[in-house]
Amino acid sequence: MIPTTIIRILNKRSIWCISLVIFVFFLCNPYKLAFSYIMPPTQILELMLKNFLSLDTMEINQWVRVSEPGNEDEEELIEEEVWLKRPWFFSCEKVESSETASKASLMTRCGWCNVPKYQCIFLEHRLPEFVGFLARLGVETSMASLTHIGPKIAYLIGQKGKPNSYLIVSRDKFLPLVLHIGLISSKGPFTVRFEDYRRVAKGWYPSRIICEFDHGRKEEYVAQTIRANITIDPLVFRPSPEPGEPRGPQESGQIPVDDGLKGVIKTLKEKYQ
């Protein structure tokens, strides 16, 4: 039989050891506890949008590198100009000197990825306006969680998965890192990655954007020059639907007429005829 005194000593030592382990854990891992709280999605998006305040327009000269699956050694390099205006007006043109661009690449003026539509993210937006944009892409804007981008932890808006759309935002500077477009797109799932951020006016812009499709096609956009808050001729944003993907009213530069306003106009016409 073990003496009662020895049992008491062992119990005291066990309790002391357990207490020491718990204390060391809390001492060495305070950051895990500090970041266990996940902000609401709207708060994350609000902090993200603050990075692009006062950016109304942009003119970007960029080089596009296009690679097809199985032909990585035969990449195409195309130069293009892009014009952006808040909220979601965009236009782009291939520079005529890009003689190496194939007819397949020139079939769509803004590329298969239609990346200027997503470059508009880096202009000034109000929160409801931006939430509406994400919702149209299929992002579940009421969901927020933590995820990993390499070794770093980031915020996830939406739910991961090939058929789902979601947005990943950095936890330190609240900059968009990844936008995944799910099955809502007729082109199938694809991912847009935003890298190499640099200062533009009082905002931020990713000088490198990579668009990858699940079937293997890859488009890489590298900004050469960026001019912000300049006056852009409204005619630049005239309607020009891409094959198979007509632009919406705002993207084509047209302002939609509300049905109620149409009714008022009709009444006035009948009254004064």
Side-chain angles (χ1 to χ4, degrees):
M1 295 292 294
I2 302 176
T4 306
T5 307
I6 296 177
I7 293 176
R8 287 177 179 175
I9 294 172
L10 289 174
N11 285 340
K12 287 181 179 180
R13 286 186 175 179
S14 298
I15 293 171
W16 185 86
C17 288
I18 293 171
S19 301
L20 180 62
V21 169
I22 294 173
F23 174 76
V24 171
F25 174 80
F26 278 89
L27 184 66
C28 297
N29 297 278
Y31 66 94
K32 290 185 178 179
L33 300 173
F35 291 114
S36 60
Y37 168 73
I38 301 174
M39 292 186 291
T42 51
Q43 189 177 355
I44 296 170
L45 293 175
E46 277 182 340
L47 292 170
M48 186 195 83
L49 293 175
K50 285 183 178 180
N51 287 309
F52 316 121
L53 291 175
S54 74
L55 287 174
D56 294 323
T57 63
M58 272 196 234
E59 182 185 68
I60 304 166
N61 175 271
Q62 61 191 19
W63 283 96
V64 188
R65 182 179 288 109
V66 182
S67 59
E68 297 284 353
N71 295 319
E72 287 77 10
D73 295 333
E74 297 181 8
E75 295 181 337
E76 296 179 277
L77 198 61
I78 306 164
E79 184 182 3
E80 69 178 14
E81 295 283 343
V82 176
W83 296 271
L84 310 174
K85 181 181 178 181
R86 71 169 307 276
W88 303 103
F89 296 92
F90 62 84
S91 182
C92 55
E93 287 185 4
K94 302 288 189 299
V95 176
E96 292 182 1
S97 60
S98 303
E99 299 176 356
T100 58
S102 69
K103 292 182 179 179
S105 296
L106 293 173
M107 281 175 65
T108 52
R109 194 174 62 166
C110 294
W112 289 99
C113 186
N114 203 17
V115 78
K117 178 178 181 178
Y118 310 110
Q119 288 173 298
C120 285
I121 289 174
F122 306 99
L123 298 175
E124 180 182 359
H125 297 291
R126 292 169 297 153
L127 180 62
E129 179 184 284
F130 192 79
V131 168
F133 168 74
L134 292 180
R136 289 192 295 274
L137 296 179
V139 178
E140 182 52 69
T141 55
S142 63
M143 299 177 62
S145 58
L146 295 177
T147 187
H148 283 271
I149 294 289
K152 295 185 177 181
I153 299 175
Y155 290 112
L156 171 67
I157 307 293
Q159 188 174 6
K160 271 192 173 182
K162 219 174 229 188
N164 301 325
S165 298
Y166 56 84
L167 174 68
I168 297 179
V169 180
S170 66
R171 199 182 60 186
D172 51 354
K173 293 183 178 179
F174 292 93
L175 292 170
L177 300 177
V178 174
L179 177 61
H180 179 77
I181 309 298
L183 293 175
I184 194 170
S185 169
S186 60
K187 298 173 183 175
F190 62 94
T191 302
V192 186
R193 291 189 281 124
F194 307 106
E195 302 177 354
D196 300 337
Y197 276 90
R198 68 187 189 190
R199 275 287 186 184
V200 174
K202 294 182 180 180
W204 292 90
Y205 182 82
S207 56
R208 187 166 176 254
I209 300 176
I210 301 170
C211 185
E212 293 182 278
F213 292 82
D214 282 8
H215 59 69
R217 182 183 176 90
K218 180 178 176 182
E219 297 177 354
E220 180 179 356
Y221 299 81
V222 180
Q224 303 300 310
T225 60
I226 304 171
R227 298 171 63 204
N229 296 330
I230 62 171
T231 301
I232 299 177
D233 187 345
L235 292 177
V236 169
F237 304 106
R238 63 188 182 277
S240 180
E242 303 288 5
E245 187 178 332
R247 294 187 186 178
Q250 285 188 327
E251 295 169 346
S252 66
Q254 295 176 322
I255 300 174
V257 179
D258 182 76
D259 289 338
L261 181 59
K262 288 180 180 178
V264 173
I265 294 172
K266 183 179 179 182
T267 302
L268 290 172
K269 282 183 177 180
E270 291 174 352
K271 183 177 180 180
Y272 291 103
Q273 276 182 350

